[in-house]
Amino acid sequence: MSDQLRPRASLRTAVVWEVLKDALDRLAEATGRDALDVLDTGGGTGNFAVPVARLGHRVTVVDPSPNALFALERRADEAGVADRVRGVQGDIHGLFEVVDRAGFDAVLCHGVLEYVDDPAEGVRNAVDALRPVGALSLLGAGLGGAVLARALAGHFAEARQALTDPAGRWGDGDPVPRRFTADQLTGLVGAAGLQVGAVHGVRVFGDLVPGVLVDTEPGAMEELLKLEAAVAELPAFHSVATQLHVLGERRA
């Protein structure tokens, strides 16, 4: 069963998947090619790479973890798309040591910028991997979502710390090295030379709703997914989203 059909996975990826799928469809129409070349930086075990390959596209996954790439290979084989998925060990800072510049129609950069030393360089490399017509799917941790989560958990000092910390961290025990606002992410995309096509808040409510409610209340998951989709594009909710998704586009 596809990850997109699993309830919990859908809650994490549904909004991003719909935006990405639409972007790939538009690119296929613009280029006149049904099979696109897609680069997934930090793609790990293939949460997006395998579903993208199921659409008929060729996907190259660059990830620093050999274990993740091994799991990717197995997952692609089980999904019947092993011939369209290639895993390469590397990272976004050394991207062009393992892939070609201007070699891809679309680049995915999901959950990467939080962990790199220079996010601006990471975005520039992702953009440099694009062909003259292409799209960048950028997903990063949202600052507001972390502040809200810490406050609702009763950790008010940590919530305030996240607000004032340059990296958006709530303390030494914070597992996320860096968080972003929507303006910061769109600024990185624009500075790298792309037009910002869309901004979406991801997991606005999903991480705040008690899991027992979603798992046991009939129809709750479906309604929560609809709610997430309804608020994803509204700027008022970007400031409290757990993650932020930006679609950058290079048009002819």
Side-chain angles (χ1 to χ4, degrees), residues 29-94:
E29 183 176 358
T31 60
R33 291 185 285 109
D34 292 333
L36 301 173
D37 293 305
V38 179
L39 173 65
D40 190 354
T41 64
T45 61
N47 285 339
F48 280 89
V50 169
V52 167
R54 281 199 183 104
L55 297 177
H57 305 304
R58 296 176 292 269
V59 187
T60 298
V61 176
V62 175
D63 196 276
S65 169
N67 290 337
L69 293 175
F70 177 77
L72 166 72
E73 182 179 356
R74 183 175 57 194
R75 190 177 197 169
D77 185 60
E78 291 173 351
V81 294
D83 59 329
R84 294 196 294 273
V85 176
R86 179 173 72 104
V88 182
Q89 190 172 359
D91 59 41
I92 198 163
H93 282 316

Side-chain angles (χ1 to χ4, degrees), residues 27 93 139 238 249:
L27 278 172
H93 282 316
L139 184 68
H238 295 168
E249 296 178 297

Side-chain angles (χ1 to χ4, degrees), residues 4 7-8 48 53 60 63 80 106 148 153 171 183 187 199 202 208 211:
Q4 308 306 325
R8 284 295 180 187
F48 280 89
T60 298
D63 196 276
L148 182 60
D183 286 345
V199 181
V202 180
L208 303 176

